[in-house]
Amino acid sequence: MDRSLFYLLKNEVNLAVIKDQLKDVIQPTVEGMGFILWGIEFKHVGRKSFLTVYIDKDGGVTIEDCSDVSRQLSSVLDVEDLITYAYDLEVSSPGMDRLFFELEQFKSYIGEKIEVELNMPVDNRRKFKATLVSVADNIVSVKLDDESVLDIMYPNIKKARLVPDYDFSKKEEK
C-alpha cells in the first residue's frame, strides 16, 4: 500500500476514534447546560487543528450561550486531555444552513431543500441540491429538480446541509 494512502487512512481512523471519545465527554456537558449537541467537527487544516462544537436549543442560540458553553467545555477538555496537541475550540449555532451529523437529524427537515455530497455517485450524481422526501431504514430519499426521487444509503452521504429559505414572508403567513 502506498505510504501516503496508509497514513491518510490511519489518520481518518484516528479522527473517527477521537470524535467518538470527544462526543462522550462533550455531550453530557452540553446537555447539562440545557442545550442540544447538534454535532462535532474535528479537523486539521495545515498545521492547525480545529474542534467545532455545534449547539442548539429551542428559540435559537445566542453569542452568550456559545461563550458560556465554550468556557465550560474548555475546562472539561483540559481535564480529560483527549487531544494532546494544540487546537482551537469554537462553539457555534448550527445556523440556517446547518450540517447534518446524524440520520435522525434529517427527519425534522422533510420537505426542505438540502445540499448533498456523496462518497460514491448515485445515478451519476455526486453533488446536488434536492428536496428531502423521507428518511427510513438508513435511506434518505430526495426529490430532484426533474421530479425524480433518488434513494441514498445514509453511509454514502459524505456531507449534507440544509439550504436556507430566506423568504421570511412565507413563515409569517403560517
Side-chain angles (χ1 to χ4, degrees), residues 144-160:
L144 302 169
D145 289 338
D146 67 4
E147 298 297 315
S148 64
V149 174
L150 189 62
D151 293 329
I152 307 162
M153 294 295 297
Y154 177 67
N156 191 26
I157 297 176
K158 181 176 184 176
K159 189 181 226 179

Side-chain angles (χ1 to χ4, degrees), residues 66-150:
C66 292
S67 179
D68 292 344
V69 172
S70 178
R71 272 193 299 280
Q72 189 68 31
L73 284 178
S74 184
S75 297
V76 170
L77 291 168
D78 283 348
V79 169
E80 294 295 327
D81 201 28
L82 294 173
I83 306 171
T84 57
Y85 44 86
Y87 65 94
D88 290 335
L89 171 65
E90 177 184 59
V91 176
S92 177
S93 159
M96 290 179 68
D97 64 341
R98 61 189 55 217
L99 283 169
F100 295 104
F101 291 91
E102 297 177 17
L103 181 65
E104 288 297 311
Q105 293 174 333
F106 285 87
K107 291 180 179 178
S108 297
Y109 295 93
I110 291 175
E112 302 285 334
K113 190 165 243 4
I114 62 172
E115 184 176 350
V116 182
E117 180 179 350
L118 303 176
N119 292 308
M120 299 294 295
V122 175
D123 288 349
N124 294 321
R125 296 172 185 269
R126 190 174 218 146
K127 283 184 167 183
F128 52 90
K129 291 181 183 175
T131 301
L132 183 58
V133 175
S134 67
V135 179
D137 300 325
N138 221 24
I139 296 174
V140 176
S141 298
V142 296
K143 186 188 303 182
L144 302 169
D145 289 338
D146 67 4
E147 298 297 315
S148 64
V149 174
L150 189 62

Side-chain angles (χ1 to χ4, degrees), residues 8 11 15 19 23 28 35 41-42 45 51 54 60 89 92-93 107 114 123 126-127 136 140 151 154 169-170:
L8 179 64
N11 195 28
L15 279 176
K19 280 184 185 178
K23 184 176 180 183
F35 299 94
E41 277 188 309
F42 185 63
V45 179
L51 173 60
Y54 296 96
L89 171 65
S92 177
S93 159
K107 291 180 179 178
I114 62 172
D123 288 349
R126 190 174 218 146
K127 283 184 167 183
V140 176
D151 293 329
Y154 177 67
S169 63
K170 288 194 286 187

Side-chain angles (χ1 to χ4, degrees), residues 34-69:
F35 299 94
I36 298 164
L37 176 62
W38 184 260
I40 298 170
E41 277 188 309
F42 185 63
K43 56 187 165 186
H44 304 290
V45 179
R47 292 182 173 205
K48 294 197 75 149
S49 297
F50 298 91
L51 173 60
T52 306
V53 177
Y54 296 96
I55 60 171
D56 207 1
K57 72 174 183 182
D58 288 339
V61 175
T62 67
I63 293 171
E64 291 79 24
D65 293 335
C66 292
S67 179
D68 292 344
V69 172

Side-chain angles (χ1 to χ4, degrees), residues 159-172:
K159 189 181 226 179
R161 71 172 55 243
L162 187 64
V163 175
D165 179 4
Y166 293 111
D167 185 0
F168 297 109
S169 63
K170 288 194 286 187
K171 301 218 184 328
E172 291 173 7

